[in-house]
Every structure is written in C-alpha cells, then in structure tokens.
Amino acid sequence: MPKRTTHTYSSEDALPDGPDSDLFVYYCKHCGSHVLITDTQLQKMPKRKTDKAYVLDKKKHLTRLNINEAGKVLLKRGEGKLEKQFRMNCIGCGLFVCYRSEEDLESASLIYVVDGALSTVAAETNPQDAPVPPCISQLEGGLVQVAIEVEDRAQRSAITRVNADDVRVTVAAPAARGEANNELLEFMGKVLGLRLSQMTLQRGWNSKSKLLVVEDLSARQVYEKLLESVQP
C-alpha cells in the first residue's frame, strides 16, 4: 500500500488579481469534505480526451489542495502506451478526486480533476451522484471486480463501509481458514441480486482481503447496490 499523507498545497505563482477576485471552493461530491480552492470554475477548464478530467494549470490559476497522497498508478492507454498517475484522494472518505503526472506536487504544472468528483456545494453529498470508487472496477467482457475487506467473527453479515480502497463486509465465520467464503458469497449474492454462478472469488480464499468478480452488472450498478445495503 502506498504511504498516505495529508498535503495542503497553495500555488503562490498564480494569485488572484486583487482582493475582489472570485475564489471557488470545491468539495468532495461523496462526503462534502473540502478539496480545492481556485480562482476559476471547473466547467471553464479544458478537459482531457482520455478520461474527461478537468485540466487545472497551476501556473495560470490559484491552486490550494486539501488531499491525501494515494500513490502511483500505471494505466494502459491506446497503442500500448503507459500513463503514470500520482493520485490524490479526499481526506474525508478516501475517494479518488484528482491526479498529476509528476511525482513532486509542488513542481507539477497541471492538476487533473476527476470528472464528477467535486461540487461547489458542500451539502451535495448524494453518493449515487459520486464517481464509482477505485475498489470497484470494470473489467473486460462485462465483468466487475470488487475489492473486499472481511471482518470475521461478527454477529451478522453486513456491509459497513464503501470507500476508495475496499468494501468492508462483516461475516460470522472465521476468514483465516476460508470458512467465511461461502457466507460471503451467499450474502453478496443477496445484496447484488446475483446467483452464486455469477460470482467468483478471484483472490483471498484464506485471507481477509479478497477480490470478488461478478457478472451481468456494471460497476455503477454494483456501487449503487452496495451503497443501498451499507449498515455502519
């Protein structure tokens, strides 16, 4: 796991033009935590063609970030090209909200804001409108992969959390000897409305960290069904 550190950054090279300049405060659309202050509106920024992320030029605009560093990710783009992303997460819920291409945040000239991740309204916290977190990923062939962290020996089966890293699921059986797998699959089948034949444990048979692969649902559908079933 990458080291996660909170980093508040202010770009002093692009200060607003005088005390009357407008400042725009952006919040995580999932939990409402403050993420970004800038002197331009997101909808006025250019967008990347690959992922529709907004491109914030720190040399032109004030950039104050309140985020957790989330480590480096390599993505495959067209024609075998690899894209390096240094990701940044919301400090409140851990949702992936923006990234950069350089490791050092201060020297990075561009910040890419994930489309749909931020809102100008702190109270806009409807999870159904938020981006699907990284723990739920769309695979080829219409499959969806879900990273699950199991809390075993609980009183009941329940989903207690959905954040950027994993879906937290409690089960009664012990996880270490694999006894929790059947209980987990049966419970997830009820939550997602799937048969056992539509789900596969790809990794983690004898550990608490598991990868579940499901069929016949999109990543968005899986996310929404999981959110509806959360019982903190």
Side-chain angles (χ1 to χ4, degrees):
M1 293 290 293
K3 183 179 180 181
R4 298 177 183 272
T5 56
T6 302
H7 192 123
T8 303
Y9 174 73
S10 175
S11 173
E12 302 298 341
D13 296 328
L15 294 174
D17 297 327
D20 296 327
S21 298
D22 291 329
L23 290 179
F24 299 92
V25 182
Y26 289 92
Y27 305 88
C28 173
K29 204 169 185 179
H30 181 70
C31 73
S33 296
H34 159 234
V35 175
L36 169 68
I37 298 177
T38 185
D39 57 353
T40 186
Q41 294 175 301
L42 277 180
Q43 59 265 34
K44 293 183 178 180
M45 299 180 195
K47 299 182 77 171
R48 294 192 69 194
K49 292 182 179 180
T50 53
D51 59 5
K52 307 301 181 184
Y54 292 99
V55 183
L56 176 58
D57 190 335
K58 286 167 41 188
K59 294 181 180 179
K60 296 180 180 179
H61 300 288
L62 174 74
T63 307
R64 293 175 182 167
L65 289 167
N66 189 38
I67 48 82
N68 278 343
E69 293 285 356
K72 181 176 69 175
V73 173
L74 289 176
L75 297 179
K76 287 185 179 181
R77 295 300 188 191
E79 300 178 356
K81 295 180 180 179
L82 287 177
E83 177 182 314
K84 187 184 299 182
Q85 292 184 0
F86 293 91
R87 292 187 169 184
M88 294 167 275
N89 291 348
C90 168
I91 63 172
C93 65
L95 194 72
F96 169 40
V97 291
C98 53
Y99 62 93
R100 60 190 187 272
S101 57
E102 293 90 357
E103 183 172 8
D104 182 58
L105 178 56
E106 293 190 10
S107 62
S109 58
L110 300 175
I111 298 296
Y112 302 96
V113 180
V114 176
D115 185 24
L118 302 184
S119 168
T120 55
V121 183
E124 185 180 346
T125 57
N126 183 3
Q128 277 72 21
D129 294 333
V132 177
C135 67
I136 304 169
S137 54
Q138 193 78 47
L139 304 178
E140 293 182 359
L143 302 176
V144 175
Q145 178 177 279
V146 184
I148 294 176
E149 188 70 18
V150 171
E151 274 188 27
D152 58 354
R153 305 176 191 276
Q155 293 183 346
R156 58 188 172 90
S157 296
I159 295 172
T160 60
R161 185 189 71 189
V162 179
N163 68 6
D165 294 324
D166 54 54
V167 176
R168 182 65 58 87
V169 182
T170 61
V171 295
R177 296 191 299 272
E179 297 176 21
N181 295 325
N182 289 337
E183 182 181 343
L184 174 66
L185 288 170
E186 290 179 4
F187 174 67
M188 293 301 291
K190 293 178 182 177
V191 169
L192 299 175
L194 297 175
R195 302 183 302 275
L196 292 178
S197 60
Q198 293 172 290
M199 300 179 295
T200 304
L201 269 184
Q202 190 177 62
R203 194 178 71 193
W205 280 94
N206 296 308
S207 69
K208 293 185 178 182
S209 298
K210 303 177 185 293
L211 283 180
L212 177 69
V213 175
V214 304
E215 304 173 5
D216 302 324
L217 290 175
S218 68
R220 166 63 60 181
Q221 289 173 318
V222 170
Y223 179 42
E224 292 181 354
K225 286 177 180 290
L226 292 173
L227 285 178
E228 290 172 359
S229 301
V230 170
Q231 300 177 27

